């Protein structure tokens, strides 16, 4: 809990500094997609996709018409789903990891009439809230999990300018670089999501 409070305080501090040194937009965002976990260097390990979602607040600081820095403060779920044998019967195992996630991305925009196309990329860090495994409707806690997940975040999208706000649609991909459990498995988080957001 102390780590969560420190993370929230750090985010508020960064927002305050950004507001003091230039124009910044605030908004909300949410998305849904598919997540999995695979070895380093692999995008996918043939497991069934786990339904992933995210929701939170977003900020964007523009330096000119084409370049900006964008951050999000998100609750996000990641994990994987795969088949196992339990008592000789095939069962579906679902591993769910919940994070508070903070990506910081450099964004490049191309004007399209009064709207824009954008691409963004940068690092992310996630603070683990809980990790649970479910087999045949029975949930248990996953042991030996790492408290911090970090990796790279990528986003491609379209922004429509409204009278007093800005509507965004994007596709994002999170590529985990750190191991998520302390055992022999070399698993990293991967997630592809479709998102919608609104800057006020």
């Amino acid at each position: 809990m102390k780590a969560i409070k420190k993370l929230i305080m750090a985010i508020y501090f960064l927002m305050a500094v950004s507001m003091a040194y230039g124009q910044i937009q605030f908004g909300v965002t949410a998305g849904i997609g598919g997540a999995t976990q695979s070895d380093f260097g692999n995008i996918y390990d043939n497991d069934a996709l786990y339904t992933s979602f995210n929701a939170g607040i977003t900020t964007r600081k523009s330096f000119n018409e084409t370049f900006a820095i964008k951050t999000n403060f998100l609750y996000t779920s990641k994990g994987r789903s795969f088949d196992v044998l339990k008592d000789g019967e095939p069962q579906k195992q679902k591993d769910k990891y919940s994070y508070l996630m903070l990506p910081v991305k450099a964004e490049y925009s191309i004007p399209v009439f009064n709207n824009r196309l954008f691409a963004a990329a940068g690092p992310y860090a996630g603070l683990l809230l809980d990790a649970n495994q479910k087999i045949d409707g029975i949930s248990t806690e996953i042991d030996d999990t790492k408290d911090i997940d970090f990796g790279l975040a990528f986003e491609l999208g379209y922004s429509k300018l409204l009278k007093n706000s800005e509507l965004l649609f994007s596709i994002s991909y999170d590529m985990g670089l750190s191991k998520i459990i302390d055992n022999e498995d070399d698993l990293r988080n991967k997630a592809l999501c479709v998102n919608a957001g609104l800057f006020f």
Side-chain angles (χ1 to χ4, degrees):
M1 185 60 68
K2 290 183 179 180
I4 294 175
K5 290 181 179 179
K6 289 180 180 179
L7 180 61
I8 293 174
M9 291 176 62
I11 291 167
Y12 280 127
F13 175 76
L14 290 173
M15 288 180 177
V17 171
S18 297
M19 291 180 66
Y21 285 92
Q23 182 180 5
I24 187 168
Q25 296 172 280
F26 290 89
V28 293
T29 184
I32 188 168
T36 189
Q37 295 168 342
S38 61
D39 296 342
F40 183 78
N42 292 339
I43 296 178
Y44 189 59
D45 277 354
N46 297 319
D47 293 332
L49 291 176
Y50 178 84
T51 300
S52 173
F53 67 92
N54 65 78
I57 60 175
T58 182
T59 65
R60 182 176 181 269
K61 175 175 169 49
S62 300
F63 293 91
N64 51 49
E65 291 184 354
T66 59
F67 182 71
I69 296 293
K70 183 163 63 177
T71 64
N72 304 102
F73 183 45
L74 303 171
Y75 171 84
T76 182
S77 64
K78 297 184 179 182
R80 61 175 178 161
S81 176
F82 56 98
D83 295 322
V84 296
L85 288 176
K86 182 179 180 181
D87 299 327
E89 295 292 331
Q91 300 285 348
K92 183 69 69 175
Q93 176 174 324
K94 294 182 179 181
D95 294 348
K96 177 185 176 182
Y97 294 74
S98 299
Y99 294 93
L100 282 179
M101 184 172 161
L102 179 67
V104 180
K105 293 176 280 190
E107 181 186 272
Y108 180 78
S109 298
I110 301 174
V112 179
F113 300 105
N114 292 326
N115 305 310
R116 62 186 179 89
L117 295 173
F118 63 89
Y124 77 80
L127 177 66
L128 182 67
L129 299 178
D130 59 67
N132 292 287
Q133 178 183 99
K134 180 180 287 187
I135 304 175
D136 194 23
I138 300 174
S139 295
T140 57
E141 186 176 348
I142 300 175
D143 296 325
D144 301 324
T145 53
K146 297 276 191 179
D147 290 333
I148 301 295
D149 177 40
F150 65 87
L152 297 175
F154 304 91
E155 187 177 14
L156 182 65
Y158 174 76
S159 170
K160 181 173 180 59
L161 299 178
L162 305 176
K163 184 176 181 180
N164 295 312
S165 59
E166 185 176 353
L167 187 62
L168 301 96
F169 301 97
S170 69
I171 296 175
S172 62
Y173 178 68
D174 298 333
M175 181 175 66
L177 299 178
S178 61
K179 291 180 64 173
I180 59 174
I181 49 179
D182 286 322
N183 60 24
E184 69 278 3
D185 293 331
D186 189 26
L187 296 177
R188 272 79 171 171
N189 282 314
K190 314 288 172 66
L192 180 69
C193 289
V194 177
N195 312 287
L198 182 68
F199 280 124
F200 305 110

